[in-house]
Each structure stands twice: as structure tokens, then as C-alpha cells.
Amino acid sequence: PGNAKVVGSYLLDQLKPFQERYPSVGEVRGKGLMLAVDLVVDKKTRESVDPFSGFSNRLAAVAQREGVLVSAVGPKLIISPPLTFSRENVDELVAALTKAFDEVDN
């Protein structure tokens, strides 16, 4: 659990910039190693992407292709790695999600 707090904080710090970088990221939030990326069509109104559009599934598919598993749940990406996750693992996850958003969020 101590690792989850430290590494989870690092993961959250690495993902927070996605809120400014990508048009579809409304909020990145979480505690420990349980995080969510809220996907929106409008940042001002915080209107969620259509859960049936397949947008979150496309992001998750690219992340998986890049070697990372995230869960597409409606208008969210859920990130819940094991408690043994390391900073190096976080860097790999962030690189995969960057690739996913660069490809899908245009």
C-alpha cells in the first residue's frame, strides 16, 4: 500500500498534463493506483463522450497494442495497475497512453 501511494502520486502527476494537452480529456483523478481519465466532447460543459461511440475502446486498443492494459468503461479510461507497479512502469504506461491519444484524439 505504501508503494501505491508513492507511485500513484507519480502516475497522477504524469497524467494531469493530459487535461491541457488533449481536447477529449476532461479530468484525470484518482487515489493511489486507482485512476480515471474522464473523456469529454466539451471541456467547458464537461459533456462526456458518447459511451457508445467506441472512443474509449479505441484508446484502450492502442494502449494495449503498445503493451499496456487500461479499461474502457463508458466515457472513461480506468487505470488500476498492481500494487507492485514501479515508476518505470508508470513511464511505460504514460508513453502508451500518449501514443493512444496522439493517434485517436484528433
Side-chain angles (χ1 to χ4, degrees), residues 49-67:
V49 298
D50 179 354
F52 299 107
S53 69
F55 183 72
S56 58
N57 289 328
R58 290 192 302 276
L59 289 167
V62 173
Q64 183 175 3
R65 184 191 76 210
E66 296 297 314

Side-chain angles (χ1 to χ4, degrees), residues 77-98:
L77 291 179
I78 304 296
I79 302 164
S80 56
L83 294 176
T84 57
F85 218 56
S86 68
R87 289 174 69 101
E88 292 79 19
N89 296 136
V90 167
D91 294 340
E92 292 171 16
L93 178 121
V94 171
L97 285 177
T98 298

Side-chain angles (χ1 to χ4, degrees), residues 5-17 28 32-35 79-81 85 87 89-91 93-94 97:
K5 181 179 180 181
V6 172
V7 176
S9 178
Y10 177 67
L11 176 55
L12 188 60
D13 288 346
Q14 298 304 305
L15 291 177
K16 278 287 189 182
V28 177
L33 286 170
M34 295 288 295
L35 288 91
I79 302 164
S80 56
F85 218 56
R87 289 174 69 101
N89 296 136
V90 167
D91 294 340
L93 178 121
V94 171
L97 285 177

